Amino acid sequence: MLILTMLVFIDDSGDPGFKFNNGSSSHFVIACIIFADNLDAEGTALKIKRYRRTLGWRDEHEFKFNKTSQKIRIGFLNEIKSCNFTIRAIVCDKTNIRSPELSRNKNKSYNYMIKQVLDKSTNIQNASLRMDGHGDRSYKKAANTYFRQQLNKNRNLVNKLKFVNSKNGSLIQLADMVAGSIYKTTQKDKTDKDLYKNILMPRINDIWNFR
């Protein structure tokens, strides 16, 4: 029997730091874009590539939520909302975190939030995780060990973990756009706070508010 490897693309919005007086955000979001089939992932990437070209952008021009206009955000999300993937995300109000260990080490808090959202995603199994390639070699090695140990305790959740360059990955860019859309809902003073999430509703499986 053929066992399919799920693809999960992960990115964040906000930041995992706790220096609120020095610019750290009050909230942090991790978004997971889940493909049950590689063909669905390829089809979605092709749609993003075609939309990029309608804008007159070069193939290497990156979609980043915080660097695109409202018009392009809406166009992008409308382009992909009918594609075959699901979204699971975690929204963390960091002012509720009481753990000294997490508040002192942003890499630990980052990894912990990813673990939380994946561990609660019972539909994910035998997954190939793709994460934006930030961090140095030692972080990547430690993260690989952490996720394999923490997430494969009770089921075969992680098959492999790969860090990718977002400039060369349309689906990591998709994760960035989705994470930014969800993060926007935490900015209560913004008139467009619910605009992007509402477009994504057909694809959203769950958004968990961590407290």
Side-chain angles (χ1 to χ4, degrees), residues 59-77:
D59 286 347
E60 61 270 22
H61 195 130
E62 188 173 359
F63 285 103
K64 291 190 73 68
F65 186 89
N66 289 332
K67 294 183 179 180
T68 57
S69 66
Q70 183 180 105
K71 180 179 179 180
I72 291 176
R73 291 170 182 171
I74 292 171
F76 180 97
L77 298 176

Side-chain angles (χ1 to χ4, degrees), residues 24 40 50 61 63 69 100 118 136 142 159 167 188 199:
S24 290
D40 292 328
R50 285 174 173 163
H61 195 130
F63 285 103
S69 66
L118 289 174
D136 57 22
N159 178 286
K167 288 187 176 181
K188 303 303 183 183
I199 297 173

Side-chain angles (χ1 to χ4, degrees), residues 113-179:
M113 289 302 160
I114 293 175
K115 181 183 85 74
Q116 288 295 307
V117 69
L118 289 174
D119 203 33
K120 291 185 178 296
S121 301
T122 55
N123 61 323
I124 297 178
Q125 58 182 345
N126 193 42
S128 177
L129 306 182
R130 308 289 174 86
M131 294 172 57
D132 192 9
H134 74 284
D136 57 22
R137 181 177 296 180
S138 62
Y139 164 75
K140 293 174 182 177
K141 183 178 180 179
N144 203 326
T145 300
Y146 174 81
F147 290 127
R148 286 181 181 279
Q149 290 178 346
Q150 294 294 318
L151 295 172
N152 288 347
K153 289 179 178 178
N154 301 314
R155 69 186 196 275
N156 181 29
L157 195 157
V158 179
N159 178 286
K160 58 183 176 181
L161 168 63
K162 183 178 181 180
F163 290 89
V164 297
N165 186 337
S166 62
K167 288 187 176 181
N168 303 320
S170 290
L171 297 178
I172 280 291
Q173 294 173 34
L174 169 60
D176 175 279
M177 294 291 283
V178 170

Side-chain angles (χ1 to χ4, degrees), residues 87-99:
I87 297 167
R88 293 185 65 86
I90 185 170
V91 178
C92 175
D93 180 347
K94 293 184 295 182
T95 62
N96 293 325
I97 299 294
R98 297 291 180 262
S99 166

